[in-house]
Amino acid sequence: MGFAKEFKEFAMRGSVVDLAVGVVIGGAFGKIVTSLVDDIIMPPIGYITGGVDFSDIKYVLKAADEVAKTPEVSINLGNFINVVIQFLIVAFCIFCVVKGLNSLKRKEEPAPEAAPAPTKEETLLTEIRDILKNK
């Protein structure tokens, strides 16, 4: 029973729940970014480059053979370009969120430094001043 109780305490800890929420939201955000790159950013870039669809760019190592029923072996450079663009968008968004959160944090005001202790000469002069005042 002790193991189950420890696991429950671990799973219900705030940081684990926050992490789970972050993973779910991150997955949904990843789909949004994929759609943004594939459906909005890449078509105009393809149009500018003369109708090139980046997802179709590939280097064929071995062509498909219909008779032997072997699939094509290729390096998909266009897909890699799309994934790099998606990563840069996600990294930029995360940077903006972290920067925003850091600006919202209250900056700790430095504690005022305590005045340094008076030197022996200052203490002696203060005593002399007080004696002269009292006379």
Side-chain angles (χ1 to χ4, degrees), residues 101-134:
L101 289 175
N102 286 340
S103 68
L104 292 177
K105 288 183 181 178
R106 292 182 182 167
K107 295 180 180 177
E108 293 181 16
E109 295 180 19
E113 294 182 23
T119 62
K120 290 181 181 178
E121 292 175 349
E122 291 173 341
T123 305
L124 183 60
L125 289 172
T126 304
E127 289 175 5
I128 292 172
R129 181 197 64 201
D130 292 341
I131 291 171
L132 290 174
K133 266 188 190 177
N134 293 336

Side-chain angles (χ1 to χ4, degrees), residues 15-30:
S15 58
V16 174
V17 174
D18 292 343
L19 177 63
V21 170
V23 168
V24 170
I25 290 176
F29 184 69

